[in-house]
Amino acid sequence: MKYLKNKINQWQEEGKEPTYEFLSIQDFIQELDYATHYLSRLLKTRPLIVYIMLFKKAYLEEGQRNITVKLSEIGKNLLSDQGTPMSHAPIKNGVNDLVKLNIIYKDPQLRPGQINRYEIRLPSEIPAVKEMINTDSNQIIEKVNLNLEDCYTDPLKRIEIFERDNKQCFYCLCELKNNTFYLDHIFPRSQGGENYKSNLITSCKTCNSKKSDKNAETFLLDNYRGGLITQEEFLNQKATLENLIETYENCKLSAG
Ligand SMILES: [Zn+2]
């Protein structure tokens, strides 16, 4: 921060506008994620690589959105498909594509030459990317909302869970029939556990009553130690349990 302050003071003394872009670590990672997830749907490989290099130069190395770029220095450490260093032409084409698509702006003040100034927009500032982010987050919210139904009392939903769990007791893996299965709450009702699909697992009568309000993973471990399931089965069930818990926690978050 001291470095930044000195730099800003220096700019002000020189009569320049401070142009430092403050991007937190989280924001930088988020923007980089947008670039690889969404910009990659809009751009071909070369312009995408060029954009990521410009983005990194602007926001990671220089801390400003307006940067001076020597095209010959971009991508000199990357290899082309033929295994030779990337040549100037595809880099130049990549930059031109980005300018055409308004992903970066070229400073019109400067004469065309070896050195050009560009304004590098953040991925989240590009309208097409913004739209994709919104669509994706709406879809995620919709999906999560669907999983907030009461699946404990609905007979059809109960069968869905029974089938999801391969018609076996989740804890001891014994085979069960349509009319002999129980549904167990991973987080017990007595502790505020909901009737969401992600909080319910198929159980046999014995496991259901033995588990009671115990922690699900602890109970699974009890069954492994008691020789009811093998180590491999225990690890598989544990991984499935962790996934369910993660989904359940997301459901809880979206439910507020
Ligand atoms: Zn069982």
Side-chain angles (χ1 to χ4, degrees):
M1 281 311 273
K2 201 180 166 200
Y3 163 79
L4 250 174
K5 250 187 182 163
N6 289 342
K7 191 111 186 162
I8 289 169
N9 286 342
Q10 187 200 325
W11 280 330
Q12 280 168 340
E13 276 164 27
E14 290 170 3
K16 285 184 200 163
E17 278 287 303
T19 55
Y20 213 95
E21 282 290 323
F22 295 92
L23 211 55
S24 70
I25 299 169
Q26 286 83 355
D27 285 347
F28 178 80
I29 300 285
Q30 181 71 82
E31 294 291 345
L32 188 62
D33 190 51
Y34 288 156
T36 49
H37 267 84
Y38 299 113
L39 262 188
S40 60
R41 295 192 208 162
L42 293 177
L43 301 173
K44 289 185 183 145
T45 313
R46 293 272 161 71
L48 179 67
I49 293 276
V50 172
Y51 175 80
I52 288 174
M53 286 188 289
L54 294 175
F55 166 72
K56 193 174 141 262
K57 184 173 162 65
Y59 295 97
L60 196 63
E61 290 168 16
E62 297 192 14
Q64 43 191 325
R65 59 194 298 121
N66 294 296
I67 54 168
T68 302
V69 181
K70 215 174 171 180
L71 293 185
S72 59
E73 278 179 9
I74 301 180
K76 61 180 184 205
N77 298 323
L78 285 176
L79 297 180
S80 70
D81 300 338
Q82 286 77 36
T84 52
M86 283 259 279
S87 66
H88 187 63
I91 300 282
K92 212 179 146 196
N93 292 341
V95 170
N96 289 340
D97 284 351
L98 295 174
V99 172
K100 259 186 248 156
L101 292 165
N102 288 333
I103 289 172
I104 62 174
Y105 297 126
K106 191 175 178 179
D107 191 335
Q109 301 285 312
L110 283 153
R111 277 174 293 117
Q114 308 94 320
I115 292 174
N116 287 308
R117 265 185 87 71
Y118 296 95
E119 182 186 341
I120 314 300
R121 297 173 89 185
L122 289 168
S124 65
E125 292 170 334
I126 299 159
V129 172
K130 254 191 222 170
E131 215 170 278
M132 284 190 267
I133 296 170
N134 285 339
T135 311
D136 271 13
S137 50
N138 285 342
Q139 278 173 353
I140 289 166
I141 290 168
E142 269 170 34
K143 267 187 209 160
V144 171
N145 278 343
L146 283 176
N147 290 325
L148 297 179
E149 304 152 285
D150 181 341
C151 294
Y152 192 70
T153 50
D154 182 338
L156 286 174
K157 298 280 169 199
R158 289 177 70 90
I159 294 287
E160 262 179 44
I161 294 167
F162 177 60
E163 283 171 353
R164 178 200 69 191
D165 296 340
N166 302 319
K167 305 181 181 185
Q168 288 174 323
C169 169
F170 189 85
Y171 296 114
C172 73
L173 298 175
C174 72
E175 299 283 337
L176 295 165
K177 289 206 174 78
N178 271 6
N179 56 353
T180 58
F181 74 90
Y182 287 71
L183 286 186
D184 187 64
H185 289 84
I186 299 172
F187 294 98
R189 288 295 284 164
S190 61
Q191 291 164 29
E194 301 286 356
N195 287 344
Y196 305 155
K197 196 175 192 171
S198 52
N199 192 39
L200 294 167
I201 39 182
T202 308
S203 165
C204 69
K205 191 180 180 183
T206 314
C207 287
N208 191 241
S209 65
K210 269 193 352 200
K211 191 226 167 209
S212 177
D213 284 357
K214 261 189 215 164
N215 173 282
E217 193 183 318
T218 311
F219 183 63
L220 206 54
L221 190 62
D222 286 350
N223 277 356
Y224 163 55
R225 288 194 175 130
L228 286 168
I229 51 172
T230 66
Q231 186 184 28
E232 197 190 342
E233 288 166 341
F234 166 69
L235 293 174
N236 275 337
Q237 295 306 88
K238 185 174 172 276
T240 309
L241 184 65
E242 282 165 357
N243 280 336
L244 282 170
I245 291 173
E246 200 191 326
T247 309
Y248 178 66
E249 275 164 356
N250 287 335
C251 287
K252 288 277 275 188
L253 277 179
S254 76

